[in-house]
Amino acid sequence: MSSRIILIGPPGAGKGTQAARLSEALGVPAISTGDIFRANVKGETELGKLAKRYMDAGEYVPDEVTNSMVADRLAQDDAAEGFLLDGYPRTSAQVDELDRMLAAEDKAIEHVVELTADTDEVVARLLARAQTEGRSDDSEDVIRHRLDVYEEQTQPLTDIYRSRGLLRQVDGLGEVNDITERILSTIR
């Protein structure tokens, strides 16, 4: 069974944990744009060198570079039967590009899972994580701002996928196993 899934949710909702668990359960790679960027930069690929120039200057990596990196990753053998995307697409233009990439292979996204979580609970999680990891820059104000930015940027994407009948909202709070089961039951 192929699975082409996008996983979205606010920082602290447990996307990384659930992506790893779903990857194993579904037998498809979990593909994080952060991991793709790091791998390309570390491997000193042409795209990695280009992205690094923008990142070193503190600038947003243009969609063309991000899209190329994602297209390259989706073309790898382990993604032939499916994948789980985390962190992409982030813009409406990236949604359109992903649609084009997949249509060229006569494929399409099958599910978009949005992990939802109470804002105060997410703030508490992120504050605890910041303390554990020694990230003094993650104050409550900074975290709440990141959540506001996430909401603003994600709303257009959730609207697109909801209009296509692909969006599945899953409560991201509770026991890890329960959340995984909730997700799997919505996509099977």
Side-chain angles (χ1 to χ4, degrees):
M1 176 179 112
S2 72
S3 297
R4 287 177 295 281
I5 302 166
I6 297 171
L7 184 62
I8 58 177
K15 289 185 309 296
T17 299
Q18 291 303 323
R21 295 172 66 85
L22 294 168
S23 170
E24 186 175 321
L26 300 170
V28 297
I31 299 172
S32 155
T33 49
D35 291 345
I36 294 171
F37 274 54
R38 285 185 287 279
N40 276 275
V41 169
K42 183 178 180 183
E44 298 184 352
T45 67
E46 289 306 313
L47 289 171
K49 291 175 187 174
L50 186 57
K52 188 174 183 331
R53 283 200 343 244
Y54 287 100
M55 294 184 314
D56 286 350
E59 296 176 11
Y60 177 73
V61 177
D63 279 353
E64 307 85 65
V65 176
T66 303
N67 293 338
S68 295
M69 285 186 185
V70 170
D72 181 62
R73 179 61 184 92
L74 294 181
Q76 293 176 18
D77 290 342
D78 67 336
E81 294 302 315
F83 51 80
L84 185 136
L85 283 174
D86 173 11
Y88 183 90
R90 287 192 185 267
T91 65
S92 299
Q94 288 179 354
V95 169
D96 294 341
E97 183 58 26
L98 179 59
D99 288 345
R100 279 191 287 279
M101 283 180 222
L102 295 174
E105 301 291 323
D106 199 27
K107 296 177 181 175
I109 291 296
E110 297 165 352
H111 304 284
V112 177
V113 177
E114 180 182 22
L115 287 177
T116 62
D118 175 74
T119 300
D120 291 334
E121 177 66 27
V122 168
V123 169
R125 280 186 190 180
L126 291 174
L127 285 171
R129 186 167 77 186
Q131 192 171 33
T132 305
E133 296 175 3
R135 295 173 59 169
S136 58
D137 58 325
D138 267 354
S139 67
E140 183 170 343
D141 288 343
V142 169
I143 290 168
R144 287 190 183 277
H145 177 70
R146 283 176 35 213
L147 292 170
D148 289 342
V149 169
Y150 164 79
E151 184 68 32
E152 182 181 306
Q153 291 178 342
T154 305
Q155 189 63 51
L157 303 184
T158 57
D159 290 346
I160 289 168
Y161 289 120
R162 183 179 290 109
S163 73
R164 295 179 184 181
L166 297 176
L167 185 69
R168 309 285 183 265
Q169 292 182 312
V170 176
D171 184 358
L173 298 179
E175 293 296 320
V176 173
N177 289 338
D178 294 342
I179 298 165
T180 304
E181 284 308 312
R182 280 189 287 238
I183 295 170
L184 289 171
S185 70
T186 65
I187 63 174
R188 286 193 168 148

